[in-house]
Amino acid sequence: MKYTVITGASSGIGFETALEFAARGKNLVIAARREEKLEELKTEIAKADSELEVVVRVTDLSVAKNAYELYDSLKDLEIETWINNAGFGNFASVGDQDLNKIGDMLHLNIEALTILSSLFVRDYANTEDTQLINISSAGGYTIVGSAVTYCATKFYVSAFTEGLAQELKANGAKMQAKVLAPAATETEFAQRSMDLDKFEYEGAVPEYHTAKQMAGFLLDLYDSSKVVGIVNGETYEFALKDPIYPYVSRTR
């Protein structure tokens, strides 16, 4: 029995992605901080297909040891796809940003993603039909004013994942590494980025995708042989692409 792991599955893109993979008959491991939201997701999946196995893991991945513990807790499962979706943003000038929040963002967006990606590659790089999909942002390819630090974390995600994809290919590995780069998406992202109790995209954001649409794009990327799935921040068109960042093979 094989499983698809999705972090940050309690809402937004992660939640909708879990439903999409469940619709394809995939057993799931869903991980996030909010147990009640994960149980809601598990119940919704069971209504659609009661035969699927859905494993819930409640964890705060902004703490590095929790990333190791999450991975270790899944050692007895066979994993075919790992999706690092957990992450959050921040809107503030560098001089004014809350460094406690920034610290958590760096730990989650960069450290946890790197730990989980590395462990998955270590164990599954040469397993047929395995995929690692990391969620970046259009802000991982373009710096957005008032979100400089957030964009920097996503530049890391994009560069790390694209580089890993090239490395795996050069080594003849069977795993594929891919990066999804959404633009504005109707999730809890803006609410948490601006520390608001509520945020309505309708009327406030000129153009955006729904989380369900973005999950559909993620499936398009999953089904393709391309490395990057990216939303154009101006046209909001989605495109599948080869690696965007330049890559130089190490010479001896």
Side-chain angles (χ1 to χ4, degrees):
M1 187 179 290
K2 297 181 179 181
Y3 292 80
T4 295
V5 180
I6 303 172
T7 69
S10 59
S11 66
I13 296 170
F15 189 98
E16 295 294 340
T17 296
L19 294 176
E20 292 285 349
F21 273 89
R24 292 191 174 197
K26 302 292 187 180
N27 299 303
L28 295 165
V29 177
I30 51 175
R33 293 173 302 137
R34 296 177 292 180
E35 184 173 10
E36 71 281 3
K37 295 293 185 181
L38 293 176
E39 291 296 341
E40 287 175 17
L41 174 56
K42 183 175 181 178
T43 299
E44 190 165 339
I45 291 169
K47 288 178 183 176
D49 188 343
S50 60
E51 298 299 313
L52 291 181
E53 185 80 20
V54 180
V55 177
V56 171
R57 289 289 186 269
V58 179
T59 183
D60 179 359
L61 292 174
S62 67
V63 179
K65 72 178 182 64
N66 293 345
Y68 287 102
E69 289 175 359
L70 170 63
Y71 192 84
D72 287 343
S73 77
L74 304 177
K75 282 290 189 180
D76 293 335
L77 303 182
E78 185 179 358
I79 300 168
E80 63 177 350
T81 304
W82 191 293
I83 301 171
N84 282 314
N85 170 71
F88 69 88
N90 184 69
F91 291 130
S93 67
V94 172
D96 293 330
Q97 61 190 3
D98 177 346
L99 290 178
N100 289 321
K101 181 180 179 183
I102 292 300
D104 287 343
M105 185 175 73
L106 294 171
H107 288 309
L108 181 58
N109 293 11
I110 294 177
E111 187 176 27
L113 179 140
T114 305
I115 291 168
L116 294 170
S117 297
S118 301
L119 293 172
F120 185 53
V121 170
R122 187 175 298 173
D123 288 342
Y124 288 92
N126 292 306
T127 302
E128 200 72 50
D129 297 325
T130 51
Q131 290 198 36
L132 169 71
I133 301 178
N134 287 331
I135 309 304
S136 180
S137 167
Y141 293 91
T142 301
I143 300 172
V144 179
S146 79
V148 170
T149 307
Y150 167 70
C151 288
T153 70
K154 292 303 187 178
F155 265 75
Y156 175 88
V157 173
S158 297
F160 171 78
T161 311
E162 286 195 21
L164 172 58
Q166 302 267 31
E167 182 179 283
L168 289 169
K169 183 177 179 180
N171 292 338
K174 296 175 181 177
M175 178 185 289
Q176 297 178 76
K178 301 175 180 180
V179 58
L180 181 72
T185 307
E186 190 180 22
T187 65
E188 295 178 357
F189 175 83
Q191 181 179 322
R192 190 168 184 194
S193 296
M194 295 184 282
D195 299 313
L196 300 173
D197 293 330
K198 190 175 182 181
F199 181 86
E200 296 291 342
Y201 277 74
E202 186 68 36
V205 180
E207 196 158 7
Y208 59 89
H209 290 112
T210 64
K212 186 174 180 62
Q213 286 175 311
M214 193 53 58
F217 293 152
L218 189 152
L219 265 291
D220 290 342
L221 175 63
Y222 174 81
D223 290 334
S224 80
S225 60
K226 297 297 187 181
V227 171
V228 180
I230 187 168
V231 174
N232 184 307
E234 295 181 358
T235 66
Y236 271 72
E237 293 179 352
F238 179 72
L240 297 168
K241 298 187 175 186
D242 293 321
I244 294 170
Y245 287 129
Y247 179 81
V248 180
S249 298
R250 184 179 65 180
T251 56
R252 294 175 183 265

